Structure formats: structure tokens, C-alpha cells
């Protein structure tokens, strides 16, 4: 028989064990914070070494990016331009299609269509990006060349379109969430006035969900900006300061890949330059992500 | 007068109904864009690469001659890297989710962790590569090894596993927790004996989706400096290395140079010769079949759980 005192000591052991487990679990959760801190620390540390050699003004205003050449120039603008142009092409594809898909799935599609289509859309997100790169280079660009004979084999248009198709599921699922959050009474009000489905969707549901749809655009930009392999394979890896999507160009991410492939010595300026480029990339995506999540929270609170 | 009004009205209604049907079609077409792309992409790969998918392709090392090249070192590398990723990411991700869902007090620290999990999901994958290059390769001195790659991908898929596990835990009714407490269970006993068991399917779904993503990730692994041409396999534990005559240690393979399937594909895609492009397509088929099969499994699993578990 257990005496009460015996039970008490057992309890202490139990409590200690519980505390230890809670501590371990906390550490696991804290790894998310540690990862963020480590990313920021590494980027700042290596980039600060880079900025000892290169002035911030040169970095932000020069229009040549040739860190690996003899006469090195360190202007990030060509990479930023390449990144924005491909992201722009991607959005031009993903936004209209994504929004139409969202309206269709949330307002029009019968239940069984939605249930069959959504897994396919999820699959689209699951395809590895290097495969999309192959597709952009060897399928989409040749097709575009039929219509635009002058289009070079490496260009930003093909990969931009492919990235656009790649992020359709993302844009449509965030927009659809926003449209589903619109209360039924708004739709019923509209139907009671004799509006059709299409009128209700476009004039009532879409405006009511607009902040969520905007959030989808912005989160979509953030995705497109960070996309690497499609552009590294299909856009050429030559920094080129242009706003014309038909030209080849390098994005920030493609530049990092190019340098990483070329085995630069640790501590060289070329090595540090990829961290400076990475810092710009992180800041760009961070701004878009924060904006997107703010807008997303807004539509959640609206009703 | 009245008759024409009525006619106009009817015409207007008919017109609007036509818009409805028209948009239904447009919507269906837009939805099909994705599905059709997926099909075209797959058919394109199969047409280009299927002839190369022979037994030899899986058992040969890469070579300068495209017809003799294979993906042996790449698929072995992928399997080993995934092993490291799973060992690192699963306990960390599930543990973090349990803490956030069942233990975390409502304070600023918990908010901070939550914000970080959300933000990490939005960080471009190549940035994880930069982190790994600075931290694992040079500061911790793991080198450009299987260990580095596995840990990098583990960090990358951590948010996926955390989110899936949390959702799965959240769907378990409070009554289950209360019942366990009523029998005198401690919090950990409640979690390990009840919650983990009921949420196993959901957690597994998250893990599979995360691993499928990790298999296809290329950018972070290129960034840490993985080689693109590897014509040897990592040392098998306890076998004799002919160059030193010493047996390999049980963990030597962790520090071995390696390549993975997507990098092998990238390497071949970057070459101008058509024969290498065929190899790239064949590698693409292998990767896409692996990831789509895993995603399909996860979707099926989720569907089954939704159908069978009713609280």
C-alpha cells in the first residue's frame, strides 16, 4: 500500500518530469525564433563586410552589376529590375486567372467540381521548381517564339508566365478564403433584389472581399520575387538593366545561384555580395509579406 | 407599350442569365489552365525523357557521355538527405506545434514565436541556403555535406509540419483532454497517450507534404555549394576505404560530398547538347513522380481522415 508520503514524493518526480518535457518542447518552438535571428545575423554580418568595400550609394544607384569581373561594379539595380519584371509578368498571369478561379470556386462551382479541382490545384504547387524551369526553357519559350520570332532563347517572359501559372493556386486559395468569409446575408440581400449570380459575385462579393484579394496579390508578388530555379534555368544569368520582359536578365535569386555554382573562396567580395543581394531579397519579401498579412487580417475582422 | 416593356425586361433577364452561363464557362476554363498545364508538363517530360528511363539510368554515375550517364549518386544523395531532414524536422516540428497548441501561455514570447513561424513560411527558400552557407558550412564547419543539406531542408519545411500538426491538434475536442485530466493524467501523459494518437493522421499528412517539398527543393542546396558532378557514393559504414585502408565510421556518410536529383537535373538542363536535355527530362520524371505521389498520398490521407473521424 502506498503511504500518502510516498505518493507525495512520486508527485514531485512527476512534476519535475513534466517541467523538463515542457522545457524541451519550448526549445523546439523557440527554434523558429532562433532561425529568424540566425538568418538576420548571418545576412547582416556578411553584408556589412560587403559594405565596407562598396558604398551604399553605389550599391543602390549604379546600373551595372559585375562583381565577378576584373572591373567590378556593384549596382544592384539590374538585379532588382530583373526580379521585378519577372514578378510583374507572373502577376499579370496569376492575378486575373487566380481571381476568376476564386470567384468560380467560391460562387459558381458545384460542390463536387470544387472537391475534384482543388487537389489538382494543390498538386500544381507541389511540382518542383526546377521542373518548371525545364518547362519554361524547352516548352513555353519555343511556343512564344512562334508568335515572336525575335525572342531570344533566354528571356524573362517565358519564366514569368510559368511562375505565374505556378502561383495561381496560391493567389486563388487566399482570394477564395476572403470571398467565403463574406457573410451569406450579403449574397441573400443581393439575390432578393433580383441580381444574378454573376452580378452578386462581381458587384457584392468581390468588393466586400477586396482587401483579401489584395492580400493575395501581394503575397503572390512575394512568392514570385523569391522564386529561383525557373529564372535561373530559363532567363539567362546575365545581369541586364532593362524593363523589357523579352530580354534575358538575371534576378537576385539567379545571381545567388550563379555565384554558388562557381565555388568562390569564403570571405571574398564575390562571396559577400550574395549575402548583400540576399539581404535586399529578404527586405523586399518582408515588406510584401507584412503588407499582405495586414490586409488579410483586415478582412477577417471586417465581419 | 406594356408588351414591349415586358419584352425588354425578358430580354434583359435572358441577357443576364447568359452572362451567368458565360462566366461559369470562363471560370471552368480558368480553373482548367492549372490542370492542363500540369498534364502538358508531364506529357512533355515523358515524351522527352521516357526512352532514357532504363535500369542502367538508375545504376550509373553521371558521365561526360550523355548516353552512359545515370542518376545513381543523385538518388542515393536524395534518399540520404531526406533521412537527415526527417530525423531533424519531425521531432522539432511536432514538438514546436505541441508547445504552441497545448502548453504555451498567452504572453509576448508566444506571440513572438507565432509571428516567426508565419514569417518563416514566407521566406524565399534560397535565403535558407544563405543561412546554411554562413552557419552550417563555415561557422559550424559541417562542410558542403549531406548533414548540411539535410538540416537546411529541415529548417525549410519546419513551418509546414508545425502548421499541419497544430491544425490536427486543434480539431481534437476539449472533452478528450478533460477526460484524460479527470483520470489524473499529467499534461504530457494526456498529450502523448491521447492527442498524439488521435492526430497521427493529420501530422503524417503534414510530414509527407513537407518531405515532398524538400525533395524538389534545389535553390538552397545549390547555395550551400553542393557539387553537380559526383561519381562516387557516400561511404557505407564500416566498409574499408581503399585509399586509406581504414574502415569508415558509422557517421562518415553525413560529411560526404553529395548531389541530389534536382541538382542533377539542373546541371543537365544547363547544357546545350540535346542528349543531356533528355537526361534532364528523365530525371524530371523521377522527381515529379516522387513528389506527386507523396502529395497525392497526403491529399488522400486528409480526405480519409475527414471522412472517418467524426467527433
Amino acid at each position: 500500500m502506498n503511504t500518502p508520503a510516498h505518493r507525495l514524493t512520486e508527485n514531485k518526480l512527476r512534476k519535475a518530469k513534466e517541467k523538463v518535457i515542457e522545457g524541451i518542447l519550448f526549445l523546439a518552438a523557440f527554434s523558429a525564433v532562433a532561425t529568424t535571428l540566425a538568418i538576420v545575423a548571418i545576412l547582416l554580418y556578411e553584408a556589412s563586410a560587403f559594405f565596407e568595400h562598396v558604398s551604399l550609394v553605389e550599391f543602390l544607384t549604379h546600373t551595372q552589376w559585375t562583381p565577378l569581373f576584373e572591373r567590378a561594379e556593384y549596382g544592384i539595380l539590374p538585379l532588382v529590375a530583373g526580379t521585378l519584371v519577372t514578378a510583374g509578368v507572373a502577376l499579370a498571369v496569376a492575378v486575373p486567372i487566380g481571381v476568376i478561379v476564386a470567384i468560380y470556386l467560391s460562387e459558381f462551382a458545384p460542390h463536387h467540381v470544387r472537391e475534384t479541382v482543388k487537389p489538382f490545384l494543390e498538386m500544381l504547387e507541389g511540382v518542383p521548381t526546377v521542373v518548371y524551369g525545364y518547362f519554361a526553357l524547352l516548352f513555353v519559350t519555343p511556343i512564344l517564339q512562334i508568335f515572336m520570332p525575335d525572342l531570344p532563347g533566354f528571356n524573362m517572359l517565358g519564366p514569368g508566365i510559368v511562375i505565374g501559372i505556378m502561383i495561381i493556386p496560391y493567389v486563388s486559395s487566399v482570394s477564395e478564403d476572403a470571398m467565403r468569409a463574406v457573410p451569406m446575408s450579403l449574397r441573400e440581400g443581393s439575390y432578393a433584389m433580383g441580381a444574378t449570380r454573376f452580378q452578386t459575385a462581381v458587384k457584392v462579393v468581390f468588393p466586400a472581399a477586396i482587401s483579401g484579394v489584395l492580400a493575395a496579390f501581394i503575397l503572390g508578388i512575394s512568392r514570385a520575387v523569391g522564386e529561383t530555379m525557373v529564372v535561373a534555368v530559363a532567363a539567362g544569368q546575365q545581369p541586364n538593366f532593362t524593363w523589357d520582359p523579352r530580354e534575358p536578365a538575371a534576378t537576385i535569386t539567379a545571381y545567388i545561384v550563379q555565384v554558388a555554382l562557381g565555388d568562390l573562396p569564403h570571405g571574398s567580395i564575390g562571396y559577400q555580395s550574395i549575402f548583400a543581394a540576399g539581404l535586399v531579397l529578404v527586405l523586399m519579401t518582408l515588406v510584401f509579406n507584412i503588407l499582405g498579412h495586414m490586409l488579410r487580417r483586415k478582412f477577417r475582422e471586417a465581419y | 407599350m406594356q408588351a414591349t416593356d415586358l419584352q425588354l425586361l425578358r430580354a434583359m433577364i435572358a441577357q443576364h442569365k447568359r452572362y451567368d452561363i458565360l462566366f461559369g464557362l470562363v471560370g471552368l476554363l480558368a480553373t482548367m489552365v492549372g490542370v492542363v498545364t500540369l498534364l502538358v508538363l508531364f506529357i512533355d517530360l515523358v515524351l522527352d525523357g521516357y526512352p532514357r528511363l532504363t535500369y542502367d539510368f538508375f545504376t550509373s554515375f553521371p558521365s561526360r557521355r550523355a548516353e552512359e550517364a545515370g542518376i545513381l549518386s543523385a538518388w542515393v544523395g536524395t534518399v540520404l538527405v531526406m533521412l537527415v531532414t526527417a530525423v531533424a524536422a519531425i521531432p522539432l516540428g511536432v514538438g514546436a506545434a505541441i508547445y504552441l497548441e497545448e502548453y504555451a501561455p498567452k504572453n509576448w514570447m508566444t506571440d513572438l514565436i507565432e509571428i516567426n513561424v508565419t514569417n518563416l513560411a514566407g521566406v524565399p527558400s534560397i535565403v535558407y541556403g544563405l543561412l546554411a552557407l554562413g552557419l552550417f558550412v563555415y561557422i559550424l564547419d559541417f562542410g558542403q555535406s549531406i548533414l548540411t543539406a539535410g538540416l537546411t531542408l529541415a529548417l525549410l519545411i519546419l513551418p509546414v509540419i508545425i502548421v499541419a500538426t497544430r491544425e490536427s491538434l486543434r480539431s481534437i475536442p476539449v472533452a478528450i483532454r478533460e477526460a484524460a485530466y479527470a483520470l489524473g493524467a499529467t499534461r504530457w501523459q494526456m498529450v502523448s497517450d491521447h492527442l498524439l494518437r488521435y492526430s497521427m493522421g493529420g501530422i503524417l499528412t503534414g510530414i509527407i507534404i513537407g518531405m515532398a517539398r524538400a525533395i524538389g527543393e534545389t535553390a538552397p542546396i545549390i547555395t550551400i555549394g553542393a557539387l553537380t558532378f559526383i561519381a562516387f557514393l557516400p561511404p557505407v559504414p564500416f566498409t574499408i576505404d581503399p585509399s586509406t585502408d581504414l574502415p569508415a565510421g558509422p557517421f562518415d556518410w553525413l560529411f560526404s560530398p553529395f548531389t541530389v536529383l534536382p541538382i542533377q537535373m539542373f546541371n543537365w538542363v544547363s547544357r546545350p547538347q540535346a542528349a543531356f536535355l533528355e537526361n534532364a527530362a528523365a530525371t524530371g520524371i523521377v522527381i515529379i513522380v516522387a513528389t506527386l505521389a507523396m502529395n497525392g498520398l497526403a491529399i488522400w490521407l486528409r480526405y480519409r481522415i475527414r471522412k472517418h473521424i467524426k467527433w
Side-chain angles (χ1 to χ4, degrees):
Chain A
M1 274 283 288
N2 279 344
T3 60
H6 181 218
R7 278 193 179 178
L8 218 57
T9 52
E10 212 177 49
N11 244 338
K12 251 186 203 160
L13 207 88
R14 240 166 87 125
K15 275 203 176 128
K17 197 177 145 203
E18 283 290 307
K19 276 283 161 215
V20 170
I21 287 171
E22 183 171 349
I24 293 172
L25 292 176
F26 172 77
L27 285 181
F30 193 76
S31 68
V33 183
T35 308
T36 311
L37 289 178
I39 289 176
V40 173
I42 293 277
L43 288 180
L44 285 181
Y45 173 73
E46 298 284 0
S48 69
F50 173 80
F51 285 116
E52 276 173 19
H53 296 280
V54 180
S55 75
L56 197 61
V57 179
E58 178 186 350
F59 185 67
L60 293 177
T61 57
H62 276 209
T63 56
Q64 290 281 326
W65 178 262
T66 54
L68 308 178
F69 288 9
E70 194 119 7
R71 277 202 53 229
E73 294 252 8
Y74 301 99
I76 192 81
L77 283 180
L79 297 184
V80 172
T83 305
L84 290 180
V85 170
T86 27
V89 174
L91 277 195
V93 172
V95 164
I97 298 182
V99 170
I100 291 176
V101 170
I103 294 180
Y104 177 72
L105 288 182
S106 123
E107 307 297 316
F108 280 79
H111 182 72
H112 66 95
V113 172
R114 188 164 49 226
E115 292 295 304
T116 12
V117 163
K118 285 200 108 177
F120 273 100
L121 287 178
E122 282 178 46
M123 291 266 206
L124 204 58
E125 271 192 298
V127 175
T129 54
V130 65
V131 177
Y132 277 120
Y134 176 93
F135 187 63
L137 180 68
L138 297 169
F139 190 84
V140 176
T141 296
I143 286 184
L144 290 174
Q145 279 169 331
I146 298 174
F147 302 102
M148 288 181 259
D150 302 337
L151 195 72
F154 290 120
N155 60 72
M156 291 187 277
L157 195 57
I161 292 173
V162 171
I163 296 175
I165 294 174
M166 209 172 94
I167 60 176
I168 288 174
Y170 190 68
V171 172
S172 73
S173 76
V174 176
S175 314
E176 197 199 331
D177 280 350
M179 289 178 195
R180 291 187 155 231
V182 174
M184 222 34 183
S185 57
L186 257 71
R187 288 187 190 88
E188 282 158 1
S190 166
Y191 289 139
M193 303 301 288
T196 59
R197 253 170 201 255
F198 180 63
Q199 287 171 319
T200 309
V202 174
K203 296 190 177 160
V204 177
V205 178
F206 183 75
I210 192 72
S211 66
V213 175
L214 283 177
F217 297 176
I218 290 168
L219 294 175
I221 301 179
S222 159
R223 282 267 168 126
V225 162
E227 176 39 46
T228 310
M229 293 321 291
V230 181
V231 278
V233 170
Q237 296 178 0
Q238 232 23 265
N240 179 6
F241 190 39
T242 176
W243 301 102
D244 182 354
R246 285 168 302 184
E247 287 187 36
T251 61
I252 298 175
T253 51
Y255 170 71
I256 297 174
V257 164
Q258 187 199 4
V259 171
L261 281 171
D263 208 28
L264 272 181
H266 176 223
S268 67
I269 183 119
Y271 171 85
Q272 288 156 353
S273 72
I274 60 176
F275 288 90
L279 190 62
V280 174
L281 181 69
V282 166
L283 289 178
M284 278 168 83
T285 50
L286 191 68
V287 169
F288 287 129
N289 277 337
I290 290 174
L291 258 177
H293 284 296
M294 268 165 55
L295 279 169
R296 215 176 163 180
R297 198 166 308 150
K298 207 173 143 197
F299 82 70
R300 285 205 180 124
E301 283 166 1
Y303 305 106
Chain B
M1 181 72 187
Q2 255 187 352
T4 53
D5 265 3
L6 207 62
Q7 265 174 350
L8 278 176
L9 203 63
R10 286 218 172 106
M12 197 182 83
I13 292 172
Q15 179 73 21
H16 284 306
K17 282 200 169 148
R18 270 201 293 279
Y19 282 149
D20 253 25
I21 295 167
L22 199 67
F23 187 83
L25 284 176
V26 170
L28 199 62
L29 275 179
T31 315
M32 283 300 135
V33 168
V35 180
V36 168
T37 309
L38 200 62
L39 277 179
V40 170
L41 183 132
F42 194 69
I43 293 170
D44 181 41
L45 276 181
V46 168
L47 287 180
D48 291 352
Y50 184 70
R52 289 291 297 129
L53 277 182
T54 56
Y55 177 75
D56 286 342
F57 190 64
F58 290 92
T59 55
S60 311
F61 286 113
S63 157
R64 267 173 242 292
R65 264 170 300 201
E67 318 78 57
E68 290 171 15
I71 54 170
L72 177 62
S73 49
W75 74 256
V76 172
T78 291
V79 169
L80 294 178
V81 169
M82 284 307 115
L83 197 68
V84 177
T85 303
V87 167
I90 295 172
L92 212 55
V94 175
I98 293 174
Y99 180 80
L100 288 174
E101 212 49 48
E102 304 296 327
Y103 284 80
K106 260 209 143 359
N107 60 16
W108 62 270
M109 183 47 106
T110 307
D111 287 344
L112 184 71
I113 295 174
E114 300 254 11
I115 291 169
N116 272 294
V117 172
T118 318
N119 264 339
L120 283 179
V123 171
S125 63
I126 197 163
V127 173
Y128 285 91
L130 289 174
L131 165 70
L133 180 63
L135 184 66
F136 297 143
V137 176
Y138 289 114
I139 295 179
L140 296 178
D141 206 17
F142 292 161
Q144 292 153 347
S145 61
I146 292 177
L147 180 64
T148 303
L151 293 179
T152 312
L153 294 181
L155 290 181
L156 185 70
I157 64 169
L158 212 52
V160 180
I161 296 181
I162 294 178
V163 170
T165 307
R166 291 186 70 178
E167 258 168 35
S168 179
L169 287 173
R170 212 174 303 156
S171 69
I172 300 172
V174 185
I176 299 279
R177 297 176 178 79
E178 284 165 353
Y181 285 139
L183 293 173
T186 62
R187 192 177 285 205
W188 175 245
Q189 285 171 330
M190 184 270 290
V191 168
S192 63
D193 293 349
H194 300 272
L195 297 191
L196 275 183
R197 266 145 232 245
Y198 295 129
S199 56
M200 200 48 90
I203 297 175
L204 206 60
T205 313
I207 291 172
I208 295 172
I209 290 179
M211 296 298 283
R213 203 181 143 197
I215 285 189
E217 272 302 339
T218 324
I221 302 197
I222 291 184
T223 310
I224 62 174
L227 300 177
T228 50
F229 190 91
I230 294 273
F232 55 87
L233 292 179
V236 179
F238 310 119
T239 50
I240 306 289
D241 180 356
S243 58
T244 56
D245 251 356
L246 290 170
F251 297 110
D252 280 4
W253 59 274
L254 280 176
F255 296 95
S256 164
F258 70 102
T259 191
V260 290
L261 288 168
I263 290 188
Q264 189 64 67
M265 178 175 179
F266 176 66
N267 178 250
W268 280 331
V269 153
S270 324
R271 299 196 188 194
Q273 301 97 317
F276 280 111
L277 294 180
E278 281 171 22
N279 286 351
T283 317
I285 298 175
V286 176
I287 304 174
I288 213 172
V289 165
T291 53
L292 288 191
M294 287 171 83
N295 274 308
L297 181 68
I299 290 168
W300 175 77
L301 207 62
R302 187 164 40 190
Y303 177 77
R304 236 184 83 99
I305 295 164
R306 215 188 294 162
K307 215 171 166 187
H308 287 271
I309 298 185
K310 292 217 167 59
W311 298 106

